[in-house]
Amino acid sequence: ETGVTQSPTHLIKTRGQQVTLRCSSQSGHNTVSWYQQALGQGPQFIFQYYREEENGRGNFPPRFSGLQFPNYSSELNVNALELDDSALYLCASTLRDGGQETQYFGPGTRLLVL
Amino acid sequence: KQEVTQIPAALSVPEGENLVLNCSFTDSAIYNLQWFRQDPGKGLTSLLLIQSSQREQTSGRLNASLDKSSGRSTLYIAASQPGDSATYLCAVRSGTYKYIFGTGTRLKVLA
């Protein structure tokens, strides 16, 4: 049990629609990262938020955007969905403890774009 | 640019066998390396985290080693069991904020 939850667990959308995925992490985990995992691949970094601001971004277009809230929850928004956006979306929160950092992953949201 | 490779891509072994999964990375300037387990359709479960200053970590039947100079890590699983069947992912953190993942090794342990 990582203490990181995601909703919904599964989602079906059609091409061109918009989607919002949610993540809730533990108190004190002030960094959240989002990853996209296509079938048969390793997770790919989308972006990270630290104290409610984007702190780094992978190779994803601007239609992927995010928000982080003071209550340690966050959102991933994807506009103008494409078929290739079908994937498992994972969020991970980071705990910094005594100079060490550990990422805790949520169970993921599986998105299917038709 | 950091790249992570895992070999083999798939592995099938009889129950009870000891096995080694390999992970290699191109940039030795890493912050830490983490091994994860992923069951089909599920999220990631962290198995072992090795900081850059460490050489190995152990948890139960699992032992992970890290050799930064050669850009390699191995995950050793002793006395494998059917419940160990899953995909094992290696991830390297080399920047300030993200992990770079390999594509994983799909392990099947036969009863």
Side-chain angles (χ1 to χ4, degrees), chain B:
Chain B
K1 177 185 175 186
Q2 180 73 272
E3 294 183 0
V4 179
T5 304
Q6 290 188 246
I7 295 174
L11 185 62
S12 185
V13 300
E15 182 177 6
E17 192 162 300
N18 301 326
L19 55 98
V20 174
L21 307 182
N22 296 293
C23 172
S24 61
F25 45 95
T26 55
D27 186 348
S28 62
I30 66 171
Y31 185 81
N32 61 42
L33 182 146
Q34 198 161 357
W35 282 93
F36 293 90
R37 169 185 172 139
Q38 186 173 35
D39 293 291
K42 304 296 184 182
L44 306 180
T45 300
S46 177
L47 298 174
L48 291 164
L49 170 68
I50 311 177
Q51 301 295 340
S52 63
S53 59
Q54 298 174 323
R55 299 279 300 188
E56 66 177 346
Q57 283 285 340
T58 298
S59 176
R61 295 182 293 110
L62 304 179
N63 175 274
S65 66
L66 174 63
D67 184 345
K68 282 197 310 179
S69 61
S70 65
R72 294 182 179 182
S73 176
T74 61
L75 178 65
Y76 176 82
I77 303 177
S80 59
Q81 303 171 356
D84 295 331
S85 298
T87 295
Y88 290 81
L89 291 158
C90 164
V92 168
R93 183 184 157 191
S94 55
T96 58
Y97 47 75
K98 67 180 180 181
Y99 276 91
I100 306 296
F101 283 82
T103 54
T105 294
R106 294 187 309 279
L107 172 66
K108 185 169 186 178
V109 181
L110 305 171

Side-chain angles (χ1 to χ4, degrees), chain A residues 3-23:
Chain A
V4 179
T5 60
Q6 291 186 244
S7 62
T9 56
H10 296 82
L11 198 54
I12 299 175
K13 290 285 189 179
T14 57
R15 195 170 51 182
Q17 286 188 310
Q18 179 267 343
V19 68
T20 297
L21 310 182
R22 294 180 173 83
C23 172

Side-chain angles (χ1 to χ4, degrees), chain A residues 41-57:
Chain A
Q41 301 296 314
Q44 299 289 319
F45 175 77
I46 302 175
F47 47 56
Q48 182 184 81
Y49 278 77
Y50 174 69
R51 293 184 174 178
E52 303 168 45
E53 292 193 3
E54 188 176 295
N55 190 39
R57 190 176 187 92

Side-chain angles (χ1 to χ4, degrees), chain A residues 14-19 63 78-83 85:
Chain A
T14 57
R15 195 170 51 182
Q17 286 188 310
Q18 179 267 343
V19 68
R63 59 189 184 84
V78 187
N79 293 322
L81 284 167
E82 301 177 359
L83 298 180
D85 295 334

